[in-house]
Amino acid sequence: MNKENITNGYFLYARKSSESDDRQIVSIDSQINELKRVAERFNLRIVDILSEAKSAKSPGRPVFDEMVERLKRGVAQGVICWKLDRLSRNPIDSGMVSWLLQEGIVQHIRTYDRDYYPGDNVLMMGLELSQANQFIRDLSQNTQRGLRAKAERGWYPGCVTIGYLHNPMKQKSDQEIVKDPDRFDLVRKMFDLMLTGTYTPPMVAKTSSRDWGLRSQRGGAVSRSNIYRILTDPFYAGTFEFPKGSGNWIEGKHEPMINRDEYDRIQILLKKKGHPRFKKHQFPYSGLMFCASCGAMITAEEKTKVQKNGNIHHYVYYRCTRRKDPNCKEKPVREEIIDKQISDVLNRITIPSEFVEWALIQLRRENELEMVSKDKIRGNLQKQYNNCVQKIKGLIDMRASSEITEEEFRGQKIYLSNEKERVQLLLNDLDQRIDNWFNNVEKLLGFSQMAVSRFQSGALQEKRDILSSFGSNLMIKDRKLSISLSKPLMSMEVAAKEVSKIYQRLEPLGMPINKSVLEENFDKSPILGG
């Protein structure tokens, strides 16, 4: 098809959106001016000039849709545009453009530097439109990936709220979000007014705008709707949710404007009983315990109590989820009670440092004896291994001289190869097995010595790890945590009782005990030394 055959003229279509993918595209006015020159140079008659500021990543552009309908009616038979991606960046509109060209409804598309006709460039045009569509998809995925990475580093990936600024001079390892020197203290005063309990949000907004002159970065006063958003935004307490509505709360690295108690008090004053929870993974024992009555999992929840004097108290309760039995009667139990029950168990297996030192010496002596026995075992295993290797070689010689059949050779070879592999595994495991035994006992002694202090001063994950070490059969019945100790911990409990008896026997008056006397009694004990 030649452009001289096009009698109805052309639509000049220009588009630009404000999104990041279009930032490098020339403005609509510049597109129109350049395309007018193209039309004049190639003697193309322009029927109408159409333009819109709208993204093409999804269908629904009013001006484009109107142009398509007018093309179908035959108002024009050609289109002039800057690039094909100005016409479409989504598969639906791209398909429409291709269909119009293939059906001859559009007989010519002229871009700034190329021609597209129904008979010669449809495939190429399809590839270019597909590239435009893939570009917008990749851009979206890369953008989301970047936002997630930023959030995981602790920085809110979006426009920051009033009182904060993105750091314009940020370098590597610098803070990405900093306090706004002009507004941070004023916004903090808004929270202070609310915390007095005598101001309503509209009164706070009016005071901040009229008396303090607080303005947003765009110069507007704090509106009534905006003040509610500010007062309920957990970002000011140091936490944000990303993505929105996901329940994934992240501790931000920005400097909080208010603390958690202040935030909770404001939500109560606002009667926000369902205020945002940003406590994901903040309960040490959630997911580790089960209800002994119905077998459902034990979950945790936090309750907040406000006293008449304004003090706020937080309580954590562990309760049955009732997913297996909605009528389960098991009552909730406070976290402090569970802490006390775990501490009681740990106290039963706690051993003093003097016993640990003595026990390690005994273990090393026993380990040295094991090493002597291990050398004898290794020698025997090595002989078995060498014997298997020699038999395999002899078997190959016998087959080569036709002394045995192929079937006999294969059967014997499989048996000897399996035996050789078994002996090799025993050799490899010999050193590791004895070393692992010593290391495991050493860790057990260290755990029994330090468990109580680690638990009492430990962070959330420390407490969780200690409870997990008790095993998986952790049940709650009548507000009591039932713990079945593993065999190694049961042996530590027996040892701890015996050590305690020795101390009680040697310290009737609370006098210091000589280390050698202690070790002598440990040796004589039928439980410890026997």
Side-chain angles (χ1 to χ4, degrees), residues 46-73:
I46 297 175
V47 175
D48 199 357
I49 296 176
L50 308 173
S51 65
E52 60 185 332
K54 187 84 172 176
S55 172
K57 68 181 181 181
S58 58
R61 287 170 289 153
V63 175
F64 175 81
D65 293 342
E66 178 192 353
M67 181 180 71
V68 169
E69 290 303 315
R70 292 174 70 186
L71 286 166
K72 289 179 180 179
R73 296 199 306 267

Side-chain angles (χ1 to χ4, degrees), residues 262-496:
E262 291 172 328
Y263 176 83
D264 283 345
R265 176 163 170 74
I266 289 173
Q267 308 317 301
I268 293 168
L269 292 171
L270 293 171
K271 294 183 172 56
K272 291 272 186 179
K273 294 183 179 179
H275 61 277
R277 288 186 173 187
F278 38 96
K279 304 182 288 293
K280 189 175 182 182
H281 304 308
Q282 295 298 306
F283 303 118
Y285 312 131
S286 59
L288 297 179
M289 303 176 294
F290 294 87
C291 174
S293 299
C294 70
M297 185 170 285
I298 298 293
T299 188
E301 60 183 1
E302 185 174 15
K303 300 288 187 180
T304 302
K305 182 179 179 181
V306 182
Q307 294 180 318
K308 292 182 178 180
N309 61 6
N311 292 337
I312 299 176
H313 299 278
H314 299 286
Y315 301 99
V316 175
Y317 287 87
Y318 287 84
R319 61 169 180 81
C320 176
T321 60
R322 294 186 172 87
R323 289 188 176 178
K324 293 188 176 182
D325 179 7
N327 299 316
C328 181
K329 303 299 183 182
E330 190 65 43
K331 295 180 179 180
V333 56
R334 287 259 296 271
E335 186 172 270
E336 304 94 276
I337 296 176
I338 295 179
D339 284 342
K340 175 65 167 54
Q341 293 172 2
I342 295 174
S343 293
D344 290 344
V345 174
L346 293 175
N347 280 318
R348 298 205 317 258
I349 64 171
T350 298
I351 52 179
S353 58
E354 292 84 359
F355 174 74
V356 173
E357 292 177 11
W358 173 83
L360 287 174
I361 292 173
Q362 308 308 309
L363 287 171
R364 290 190 180 95
R365 289 174 182 170
E366 189 172 341
N367 192 47
E368 289 173 0
L369 296 175
E370 285 284 343
M371 292 295 290
V372 175
S373 175
K374 182 179 70 174
D375 290 339
K376 294 180 180 178
I377 295 173
R378 182 189 291 109
N380 290 331
L381 289 173
Q382 190 64 53
K383 288 179 181 179
Q384 293 180 41
Y385 181 83
N386 294 339
N387 189 33
C388 286
V389 172
Q390 291 300 321
K391 285 183 178 181
I392 291 174
K393 288 182 178 179
L395 194 66
I396 294 173
D397 293 338
M398 291 173 67
R399 177 60 190 140
S401 61
S402 300
E403 294 181 39
I404 58 175
T405 65
E406 179 68 23
E407 186 177 351
E408 291 174 327
F409 170 76
R410 288 180 180 176
Q412 287 293 315
K413 187 171 184 291
I414 291 173
Y415 169 76
L416 291 172
S417 296
N418 290 338
E419 182 66 10
K420 186 184 77 168
E421 184 177 351
R422 183 188 70 83
V423 176
Q424 181 68 62
L425 289 174
L426 290 174
L427 279 168
N428 294 338
D429 184 57
L430 187 61
D431 291 326
Q432 186 177 4
R433 181 158 36 90
I434 294 177
D435 290 341
N436 286 346
W437 168 79
F438 182 81
N439 291 334
N440 289 337
V441 176
E442 190 174 25
K443 288 179 182 178
L444 181 63
L445 289 169
F447 174 82
S448 298
Q449 180 187 358
M450 302 298 297
V452 172
S453 59
R454 282 175 54 202
F455 181 78
Q456 292 175 348
S457 61
L460 180 149
Q461 191 60 45
E462 188 82 53
K463 288 186 173 183
R464 189 175 183 85
D465 291 343
I466 288 175
L467 183 59
S468 299
S469 69
F470 290 147
S472 58
N473 191 27
L474 304 171
M475 310 294 288
I476 285 186
K477 177 69 174 177
D478 298 329
R479 295 179 174 174
K480 182 174 177 59
L481 174 61
S482 173
I483 297 175
S484 299
L485 293 178
S486 62
K487 287 186 178 181
L489 289 177
M490 287 176 64
S491 65
M492 285 296 102
E493 183 178 18
V494 173

Side-chain angles (χ1 to χ4, degrees), residues 8 65 148 150 157 172 185 188 209 305 307 430 512 525:
N8 286 13
D65 293 342
R148 284 196 301 271
K150 186 174 182 179
K172 191 174 182 181
D185 292 336
R188 170 68 222 201
S209 299
K305 182 179 179 181
Q307 294 180 318
L430 187 61
S525 169

